């Protein structure tokens, strides 16, 4: 099942075909695009639910057509309530005039997830070429890799820079990995567990569930490393505004 879903308006098929070609060229080959819009858009959420265990990332190609479509906005809502990592790609020309409903939807998308503006990649003739702006292309590639959109890699530790000054040795010994980027860059082998934890945390947030999220395991199994170098580090990459607090039964009981 695909790990990456793309939500778009059928009126923007030319742009989404360009996006699909760029994704394939950069190693993101395992994605789902619905070009049919069968049964009023029901196919898309059904496919998303069917692949709940494998889907990690939902990309929304936010254009005036997307904002005008209730089906597209419902796709965003379904992904949000299911705890998926959402990456909005904005294609909104400066001259775009939106009605009140479209503005409300845009505010909701911008308020929930960081996005990337693709308008610098559109030519005067309206042709999308992502690689024309290497800053945009690099941000998109890094964001997708960090979110686990490359099915062969999973949640990619290479999204974090290796810091040999802070961590000259890749193995901490009996100590657990911390929540610094330097530790996250060295923490391999727990991609599926990190993805599951992040999805559960996003569900907790979407449902406004105030109960604590608990990681349970035998002593020495790697719970602290999974929490710090895995879950919290990737959560902060996905949303820099995320407030992270964790507690454990050691000598330092609470970290805020």
């Amino acid at each position: 099942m695909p790990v990456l879903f793309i939500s778009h308006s059928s009126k923007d098929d030319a742009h989404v075909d360009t996006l699909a070609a760029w994704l394939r060229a950069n190693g993101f080959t395992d994605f789902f695009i619905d070009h049919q819009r069968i049964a009023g858009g029901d196919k898309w959420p059904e496919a998303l639910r069917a692949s709940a265990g494998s889907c990690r990332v939902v990309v929304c190609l936010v254009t005036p057509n997307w904002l005008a479509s209730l089906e597209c906005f419902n796709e965003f809502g379904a992904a949000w309530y299911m705890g998926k990592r959402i990456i909005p790609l904005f294609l909104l020309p400066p001259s775009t005039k939106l009605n009140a409903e479209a503005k409300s939807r845009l505010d909701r998308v911008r308020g929930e997830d960081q996005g990337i503006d693709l308008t610098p990649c559109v030519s005067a003739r309206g042709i999308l070429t992502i690689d024309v702006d290497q800053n945009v292309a690099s941000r998109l590639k890094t964001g997708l890799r960090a979110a686990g959109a490359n099915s062969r890699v999973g949640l990619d530790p290479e999204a974090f820079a290796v810091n040999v000054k802070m961590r000259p040795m890749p193995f901490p010994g009996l100590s657990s990995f911390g929540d610094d980027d330097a530790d996250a860059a060295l923490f391999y082998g727990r991609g599926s567990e990190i993805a599951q934890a992040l999805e559960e945390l996003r569900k907790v947030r979407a449902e406004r569930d105030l109960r604590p999220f608990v990681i349970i395991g035998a002593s020495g199994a790697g719970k602290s490393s999974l929490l710090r170098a895995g879950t919290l580090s990737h959560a902060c990459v996905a949303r820099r505004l995320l407030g992270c607090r964790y507690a454990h039964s050691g000598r330092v009981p609470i970290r805020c």
Side-chain angles (χ1 to χ4, degrees):
M1 299 297 288
V3 299
L4 172 63
F5 277 58
I6 300 176
S7 171
H8 77 291
S9 167
S10 57
K11 296 178 181 179
D12 298 315
D13 275 354
H15 287 324
V16 84
D17 286 343
T18 298
L19 175 61
W22 184 89
L23 289 170
R24 291 190 188 95
N26 286 274
F28 305 103
T29 58
D30 195 5
F31 56 83
F32 174 87
I33 302 175
D34 177 15
H35 282 292
Q36 303 298 323
R37 295 290 166 190
I38 296 174
D42 289 341
K43 179 181 176 182
W44 199 96
E46 286 177 4
L48 182 60
R49 284 190 290 270
S51 66
S54 60
C55 172
R56 300 190 186 106
V57 190
V58 173
V59 169
C60 296
L61 188 61
V62 182
T63 67
N65 295 321
W66 189 94
L67 291 170
S69 169
L70 179 59
E71 295 173 6
C72 290
F73 189 67
N74 285 343
E75 292 170 356
F76 164 82
W80 187 75
Y81 277 107
M82 292 180 69
K84 304 303 179 183
R85 172 70 176 104
I86 302 174
I87 301 179
L89 303 181
F90 297 106
L91 264 177
L92 300 169
S95 59
T96 301
K97 294 183 179 180
L98 303 175
N99 60 30
E101 182 67 25
K103 289 180 180 178
S104 176
R105 292 171 182 171
L106 180 60
D107 289 342
R108 171 72 186 282
V109 174
R110 283 179 168 165
E112 292 300 334
D113 296 272
Q114 294 177 344
I116 297 174
D117 185 9
L118 295 185
T119 52
C121 304
V122 179
S123 70
R125 298 173 58 187
I127 299 174
L128 175 64
T129 308
I130 295 175
D131 284 331
V132 77
D133 190 316
Q134 283 301 305
N135 180 52
V136 171
S138 177
R139 287 184 60 209
L140 179 55
K141 188 184 300 184
T142 299
L144 289 170
R145 286 177 67 94
N150 188 323
S151 60
R152 292 173 296 178
V153 175
L155 287 167
D156 190 4
E158 292 184 11
F160 302 91
V162 173
N163 189 328
V164 295
K165 291 184 178 180
M166 286 187 64
R167 300 291 181 268
M169 296 295 292
F171 305 107
L174 296 178
S175 301
S176 61
F177 286 97
D179 56 5
D180 295 310
D181 285 1
D183 282 332
L186 302 175
F187 187 61
Y188 280 76
R190 293 288 189 180
S192 60
E193 289 85 356
I194 296 170
Q196 182 180 358
L198 290 172
E199 187 167 313
E200 291 299 325
L201 285 172
R202 285 191 286 264
K203 286 182 182 178
V204 166
R205 180 175 179 272
E207 296 169 0
R208 302 182 186 277
D209 190 339
L210 299 181
R211 293 175 297 175
F213 180 79
V214 181
I215 297 176
I216 300 174
S219 177
K223 301 184 297 297
S224 295
S225 296
L226 172 62
L227 173 65
R228 298 173 185 172
T231 306
L232 293 184
S233 295
H234 282 277
C236 291
V237 166
R239 288 184 59 83
R240 290 295 181 186
L241 298 179
L242 180 66
C244 300
R245 297 180 180 178
Y246 61 81
H248 59 86
S249 58
R251 287 177 296 176
V252 184
I254 297 178
R255 167 74 180 272
C256 300

